[in-house]
Amino acid sequence: GAVVLETKYLLVSQANGVGTIRLNRPQVLNALNLALMDELVRTLKEMERDEEIRCVLLTGGSRCFAAGADIDEMAEASSVEMLLKDQFAQWEYIRRFSKPLLAAVSGYALGGGCELAMACDMIIASETAEFGQPEIKLGVMPGAGGTQRLTRAVGKARAMEMVLTARSLSAREALAAGLINRIVPVELLEQEAREWAEEVAAQAPVAVRLAKQSVLKALDTPLETGLDYEQKLFFFLFSTEDQKEGMRAFKEKRRPRFQGK
Ligand code: CAA
């Protein structure tokens, strides 16, 4: 069934196996307040359950993906209030989301906006995209992965520069640094991102899910443990009908019809 949710800050749609979530709080450059993040997590939970959705595309506006956590919401908070509010609990769900998450980024992806893009599995950017962690200018530091995922993606030297001086990366620099997958002209971003998401959505869903898990595992396990983990998942896939179908279709020189079983 179609994902239907009343949301204030998101535009949600679904077609051809792809669920699309558009951040839609343009008057404050899609600042990520708690209510928006709550809607995002609720929508992802719906999309997790919906078998027709096999890939999720997360995007913003053409001028801005997201300019970070909502500064108005945090400015006067005490550390105990921040601790009790536990805003990053919502981010934990994004980390655990099992289907591929593709971010399409145009314009600013700053602070929590950059962290949200990095929490996705792949990033496609427009030529105007800008990635940065400017929290240091606010007297704080990144809190949702900006010192961790960024460092793993671009290495220590660049991460230090971005986090300590707030210098952001252009789309071209982000591509060269390995932070993003590809760059397209602004006017083509939506179409290219949709086509790319549909390509992922057409693959065997169980294999996609386990392959995603396995790649993420590489970021925090020693090689031997990771290789072991990978092998077990690989063997497991031979209990799926999609494996039989995929290999038979290859032999019969036809397109496979994957069922997610
Ligand atoms: N939170 C709340 N409001 C924000 C916001 C944010 N992160 N970013 C922008 N806005 C608001 C502005 O206050 C402004 O509102 P008003 O019209 O009411 O004044 C509106 O959005 C438009 O923004 P600007 O007028 O500033 O637009 P600009 O084009 O001049 O500048 C910008 C764009 C460079 C992105 C600038 O808005 C900016 O620096 N934003 C803050 C970026 C930032 O510091 N992000 C990190 C947040 S902290 C964080 O994310 C913590 C974490 O790790 C989770």
Side-chain angles (χ1 to χ4, degrees):
V3 174
V4 183
L5 267 180
E6 279 294 319
T7 59
K8 187 169 173 198
Y9 300 123
L10 308 175
L11 297 172
V12 180
S13 62
Q14 141 179 30
N16 303 327
V18 177
T20 300
I21 304 173
R22 182 181 297 281
L23 307 175
N24 185 35
R25 207 188 167 207
Q27 62 286 1
V28 286
L29 306 182
N30 293 338
L32 308 168
N33 61 1
L34 279 177
L36 183 154
M37 290 302 296
D38 228 48
E39 289 183 2
L40 177 58
V41 167
R42 277 197 297 131
T43 306
L44 287 174
K45 283 186 175 160
E46 289 285 324
M47 292 186 167
E48 182 80 77
R49 276 194 290 268
D50 188 333
E51 280 179 26
E52 278 168 31
I53 292 181
R54 294 178 170 187
C55 180
V56 173
L57 180 60
L58 179 62
T59 189
S62 60
R63 185 177 162 231
C64 187
F65 177 72
D70 191 321
I71 296 169
D72 295 336
E73 228 175 39
M74 302 181 287
E76 302 305 327
S78 71
S79 46
V80 172
E81 282 162 358
M82 290 299 283
L83 181 78
L84 295 180
K85 188 163 75 171
D86 194 19
Q87 71 196 76
F88 301 126
Q90 295 163 314
W91 293 70
E92 196 50 28
Y93 182 75
I94 301 171
R95 186 175 77 79
R96 298 171 56 89
F97 188 67
S98 79
K99 299 178 185 183
L101 260 171
L102 179 55
V105 175
S106 189
Y108 299 115
L110 300 178
C114 185
E115 290 167 314
L116 183 58
M118 290 191 294
C120 295
D121 301 310
M122 295 186 279
I123 303 175
I124 178 169
S126 83
E127 287 158 339
T128 66
E130 186 184 322
F131 299 86
Q133 299 290 158
E135 289 90 342
I136 204 75
K137 290 201 291 187
L138 301 170
V140 289
M141 57 179 274
T147 65
Q148 301 301 305
R149 290 200 179 93
L150 183 66
T151 307
R152 282 167 170 76
V154 305
K156 176 188 159 189
R158 272 200 191 80
M160 282 291 189
E161 183 177 341
M162 291 172 71
V163 169
L164 300 183
T165 73
R167 193 178 85 74
S168 54
L169 298 183
S170 67
R172 225 156 278 284
E173 289 171 315
L175 184 67
L179 183 64
I180 66 174
N181 294 74
R182 66 171 88 147
I183 306 176
V184 297
V186 181
E187 62 278 10
L188 293 182
L189 181 66
E190 209 171 308
Q191 185 196 331
E192 296 266 338
R194 197 174 340 105
E195 283 173 13
W196 200 14
E198 286 173 7
E199 191 183 325
V200 176
Q203 313 301 330
V206 181
V208 163
R209 177 187 178 127
L210 299 188
K212 165 175 168 161
Q213 259 177 33
S214 198
V215 171
L216 289 175
K217 202 64 156 181
L219 294 174
D220 59 13
T221 50
L223 182 63
E224 195 183 347
T225 314
L227 289 171
D228 226 44
Y229 184 78
E230 177 189 77
Q231 240 182 59
K232 301 267 177 356
L233 297 181
F234 177 76
F235 294 152
F236 171 82
L237 286 173
F238 286 74
S239 68
T240 64
E241 290 171 24
D242 284 346
Q243 173 269 325
K244 299 287 174 296
E245 166 64 9
M247 293 192 180
R248 268 177 210 145
F250 174 80
K251 299 274 285 176
E252 293 163 12
K253 303 188 191 300
R254 60 173 174 83
R255 276 170 155 272
R257 281 181 300 271
F258 294 124
Q259 314 266 7
K261 288 191 273 196

